[in-house]
Amino acid sequence: MTAAREWAAIAPRIGARGRVRIARNGHEYRDGERALTISLPPYAAAVYIYEYGKTRLLAGDFDVKAAVAAGATDPAALVAAEAADFAGLIQICGGHGFADVAPTGGRHAYVPFTETIHLGEMRWIVLALARRYVTFDPKPMLSNEGLITVPGALTKRGGHRHLTTPLAHVEHVLDHPNGSGVWDDLWAALAPEIEAAEADLPARATAASPSALPYAPAPGDRGPADTTRARGTPHLVRVDDNDDSWLPRADGPLPALSPRLEDIARTGRYPQGVTGAGVYRSDSEARQAVVSGAVACGWRKEHYTARLNSGAWPGQAAFYARYRTERQRLDAIDRDWQKAVTWLSEREFDRDIHTRGPAHRGGYQVVLAGGVEWDIRRITPDTEKLGEYRKLRAWDSALAAAIRAGRWRGKKAITYWRVLSAMLKAGQLSANTVIGFGVRSLALAACLDESTVAKALRDLRDEPDAFVDHVAAHHGEWPDYYRLIVPQAYAETAAWRTWRPGKLGGLHPVFRELGGPAALVYDRLDAAVPLRTIDIQTETGLSATGTTTALRTLGEYGLAVKRDGGWVRGPSDPDRVAEQLDIPERLAQLVEKYRQQRVEWRKWLQIAEANHWGLNNAGGDLGDHPIPLQQVADAGPPPWMEDEPHGPPNCVPTAWF
């Protein structure tokens, strides 16, 4: 493959600013810059990593000179080994990337991300990597003017950098960047090195170290899986057990609001006038100021609502008197809280979120929902402002809109809803819109057969304007990875529709017996707000007969009751109904069956890996590397594997290096 082709395919896609620095003298990139195009520069060239202190690329520079300084007897081999270990680290975190090599033996690794990463946050990752790998040079990633030479580029010592991975793989990586879960897992994997880097800092670390920076995990917090990510604040916003966002303080929550805000909350009185410090134009602004103060103090939403409900803050409670029903009041409280969390988290990065651009940009209408902006015709950068949990709720609203609009018809509609509902459950469990759950896990959550789930996923990912994007194919024990995306057709609904509270997704095992239509109706019913039969029919997309039958089934087991005004969820506990139908016993048998199949699958993977490396061929040393479980190999694959949705075991994935 020519250097020009590699440059044209990669440089314009990963370089920032649309500019390239050149070194005509072959020494320093100080000879000016030119536009970054698909044309390969005739001089040594490097692209920018950051634009305005933000990037979507983690670039790893493994330097031969560092290996020499470390006393390596074979510097190039040490560089190759550490670069390969870095690639393995990214794969362990569920991510992927690509790499190149220079004529000198130096190597660069490129890991693209979907979301913007700020320089202050990236700095700690590269400092941690520099502690783990002696050949890792952090300098390109430590400055807003950082540069990196990319595949195809002419180097300062002559010769071109060349890919170590196929171009088809590189294009797949660039088309499917890594999601937020990979970044969170990388933070967790490098936690010891980050702590060590923090310990090496001087006294000014109190203002700049991970424990004090807004993206640092709070002591005692539950970790990356429980982190909701606002754009640019991956580790600032947390989610508690009630699925509510909050902003932990490094030194713990403050005991009380400022006297000024406390007085507003108690009395409902505030200075009125043009908005300024302590001056508000309306009850809504004063109310929001109290909420923002509570968030800034490190409180959780439950602490705020406790003061409202206990009578400690009659003035603040009176600000919500305009809402007629309790549901409207709770929705208003939730909106206030989310708005405050978003505003305060983004303010940490000096972003003026009160300054709104024009209502239309390039023909795309901007919609404000939940305190963040959505582009209702293009769900790309704007959605990155949302934390993962909030993205999942928007996705749930879009799915509800699709069901209501009749996107799918007949039994297929119920099956697709069940599978997508299971994926929503997986997203909530992993706190990520990129999920990697096997078809058996999804089948348990959807109350379906695993082969049905596999077929439905293939159909859903091939749809135009799909709900899911197939991010990575399965290999070995790793399942397929999917990203949950809001289709453009339902983007406006996802932005404006009130998001459902509580846990979302997945079917209760009782619906293995009661069926999909009953599950869909039960999912749409509320415990307090009645729904008329005609409204249930509209919400579920079921026929009149199907809706009536589902309600009758739920009513027989006390899972739905009819009251004045319509149907609500009944008093029966689904767990007890499931016990009456002997479902737990059947479910346990199914889980045990899947567990046994996984054991057999792993045995066959060992055989597949042995065959992949040629250890059973001529020249292989079977004494050192015997094929495991030879008796299993002799017996042949178990019968169930013939119908396996994913086919026979795959070999180990192709390495980067």
Side-chain angles (χ1 to χ4, degrees):
M1 183 185 302
T2 66
R5 184 181 175 191
E6 292 182 358
W7 173 276
I10 300 170
R13 299 191 64 178
I14 65 175
R17 307 190 194 182
R19 309 293 292 174
V20 57
R21 298 287 298 182
I22 57 175
R24 289 187 178 90
N25 60 8
H27 297 294
E28 299 293 337
Y29 296 109
R30 296 177 180 175
D31 296 335
E33 62 181 34
R34 59 172 62 184
L36 174 55
T37 69
I38 63 173
S39 298
L40 177 64
Y43 310 102
V47 302
Y48 287 102
I49 299 173
Y50 294 97
E51 182 175 22
Y52 303 116
K54 296 180 290 186
T55 185
R56 292 182 183 174
L57 177 71
L58 169 57
D61 182 1
F62 295 87
D63 194 350
V64 172
K65 290 185 293 184
V68 172
T73 56
D74 189 344
L78 178 59
V79 166
E82 292 202 326
D85 188 80
F86 171 73
L89 171 65
I90 298 299
Q91 288 182 334
I92 289 173
C93 295
H96 56 191
F98 58 94
D100 65 17
V101 62
T104 60
R107 294 172 183 262
H108 289 170
Y110 309 90
V111 185
F113 288 89
T114 58
E115 300 193 22
T116 296
I117 302 169
H118 287 256
L119 172 60
E121 180 184 6
M122 181 66 78
R123 181 179 290 121
W124 290 105
I125 288 293
V126 296
L127 288 176
L129 290 170
R131 298 188 70 88
R132 176 171 290 201
Y133 303 115
V134 296
T135 65
F136 186 94
D137 182 4
K139 290 193 294 294
M141 301 294 298
L142 291 177
S143 167
N144 187 51
E145 300 303 313
L147 301 168
I148 194 79
T149 50
V150 298
L154 185 67
T155 69
K156 289 189 290 187
R157 296 192 177 186
H160 296 268
R161 307 195 72 90
H162 284 292
L163 287 170
T164 59
T165 43
L167 184 58
H169 169 77
V170 176
E171 291 174 341
H172 175 79
V173 171
L174 293 175
D175 289 339
H176 301 84
N178 297 287
S180 57
V182 176
W183 183 252
D184 287 338
D185 288 349
L186 184 60
W187 266 85
L190 293 174
E193 288 84 359
I194 292 174
E195 292 177 1
E198 178 186 11
D200 286 347
L201 292 180
R204 59 187 173 85
T206 55
S209 65
S211 63
L213 283 171
Y215 49 79
D221 225 355
R222 292 182 292 165
D226 300 300
T227 303
T228 183
R229 300 178 50 144
R231 183 181 182 186
T233 57
H235 291 270
L236 173 60
V237 183
R238 296 275 164 174
V239 174
D240 61 21
D241 293 334
N242 297 320
D243 200 15
D244 292 321
S245 303
W246 65 294
L247 303 183
R249 294 174 57 91
D251 52 354
L254 295 178
L257 297 182
S258 67
R260 175 177 57 82
L261 293 178
E262 182 73 27
D263 184 67
I264 293 174
R266 285 188 295 100
T267 66
R269 296 191 297 269
Y270 56 90
Q272 291 183 306
V274 179
T275 301
V279 180
Y280 309 101
R281 292 177 294 185
S282 65
D283 289 357
S284 296
E285 282 195 2
R287 184 182 80 193
Q288 189 65 49
V290 174
V291 178
S292 299
V295 172
C297 285
W299 292 8
R300 303 192 186 204
K301 181 182 162 187
E302 59 185 303
H303 303 144
Y304 172 73
T305 56
R307 283 164 174 76
L308 286 179
N309 298 331
S310 67
W313 284 354
Q316 186 74 356
F319 290 149
Y320 292 100
R322 52 181 286 208
Y323 299 103
R324 297 181 180 180
T325 67
E326 181 66 12
R327 179 64 176 269
Q328 291 175 335
R329 175 177 174 272
L330 293 176
D331 287 345
I333 292 172
D334 185 62
R335 287 193 301 270
D336 288 350
W337 190 263
Q338 294 293 351
K339 188 185 300 183
V341 169
T342 301
W343 178 72
L344 286 166
S345 64
E346 292 186 346
R347 192 181 65 170
E348 295 293 339
F349 290 93
D350 298 324
R351 298 179 62 206
D352 185 5
I353 66 168
H354 289 302
T355 303
R356 303 295 180 192
H360 293 268
R361 293 199 307 262
Y364 296 103
Q365 183 181 0
V366 177
V367 181
L368 185 66
V372 296
E373 291 179 350
W374 281 71
D375 195 327
I376 65 172
R377 290 181 58 192
R378 183 185 59 223
I379 305 304
T380 44
D382 285 343
T383 58
E384 294 171 6
K385 297 178 183 178
L386 295 173
E388 293 297 285
Y389 282 109
R390 300 178 68 201
K391 290 181 185 177
L392 290 168
R393 295 197 179 280
W395 190 84
D396 173 61
S397 293
L399 178 58
I403 294 295
R404 191 168 58 252
R407 178 182 174 113
W408 307 288
R409 298 291 182 181
K411 293 183 179 180
K412 182 185 295 186
I414 297 296
T415 299
Y416 287 171
W417 170 77
R418 292 168 78 161
V419 172
L420 292 173
S421 181
M423 298 185 80
L424 178 60
K425 178 68 173 180
Q428 278 220 324
L429 289 174
S430 57
N432 206 319
T433 51
V434 177
I435 60 175
F437 282 62
V439 291
R440 286 165 178 76
S441 297
L442 294 174
L444 290 172
C447 296
L448 290 169
D449 182 83
E450 67 272 16
S451 61
T452 303
V453 172
K455 183 180 185 304
L457 286 173
R458 288 193 292 269
D459 293 342
L460 288 166
R461 73 194 192 195
D462 291 338
E463 287 186 325
D465 200 20
F467 274 88
V468 295
D469 178 28
H470 191 210
V471 175
H474 72 283
H475 59 261
E477 293 189 49
W478 296 92
D480 287 287
Y481 276 78
Y482 291 89
R483 178 181 288 107
L484 306 184
I485 52 180
V486 175
Q488 293 181 10
Y490 310 106
E492 185 172 6
T493 299
W496 285 103
R497 183 181 174 92
T498 301
W499 296 343
R500 291 196 294 169
K503 296 181 179 179
L504 302 176
L507 278 67
H508 191 280
V510 73
F511 294 107
R512 288 185 170 274
E513 181 71 25
L514 303 186
L520 179 56
V521 171
Y522 188 77
D523 182 73
R524 292 296 178 259
L525 289 179
D526 189 271
V529 181
L531 273 180
R532 299 178 303 167
T533 303
I534 187 63
D535 294 329
I536 296 173
Q537 183 179 341
T538 301
E539 287 290 319
T540 60
L542 296 172
S543 65
T545 301
T547 303
T548 302
T549 302
L551 287 170
R552 185 186 305 117
T553 300
L554 294 171
E556 289 176 357
Y557 293 97
L559 295 173
V561 295
K562 191 172 185 180
R563 294 180 180 171
D564 292 340
W567 290 83
V568 296
R569 287 191 178 184
S572 294
D573 184 351
D575 289 339
R576 293 195 175 183
V577 176
E579 291 175 1
Q580 296 171 11
L581 299 172
D582 296 326
I583 291 175
E585 182 178 349
R586 284 187 282 163
L587 189 60
Q589 294 173 353
L590 182 60
V591 170
E592 181 57 33
K593 171 188 170 183
Y594 287 164
R595 185 177 292 114
Q596 181 59 35
Q597 287 181 348
R598 289 192 180 96
V599 172
E600 295 171 348
W601 182 265
R602 293 188 182 101
K603 292 177 181 178
W604 272 91
L605 282 176
Q606 294 176 46
I607 297 170
E609 290 188 10
N611 289 330
H612 171 76
W613 295 112
L615 299 177
N616 59 337
N617 298 329
D621 188 352
L622 294 177
D624 293 336
H625 302 281
I627 296 179
L629 304 170
Q630 185 64 51
Q631 68 276 16
V632 176
D634 293 339
W640 65 268
M641 201 172 289
E642 295 180 3
D643 299 323
E644 169 58 33
H646 284 161
N650 288 339
C651 298
V652 293
T654 302
W656 295 8
F657 300 93

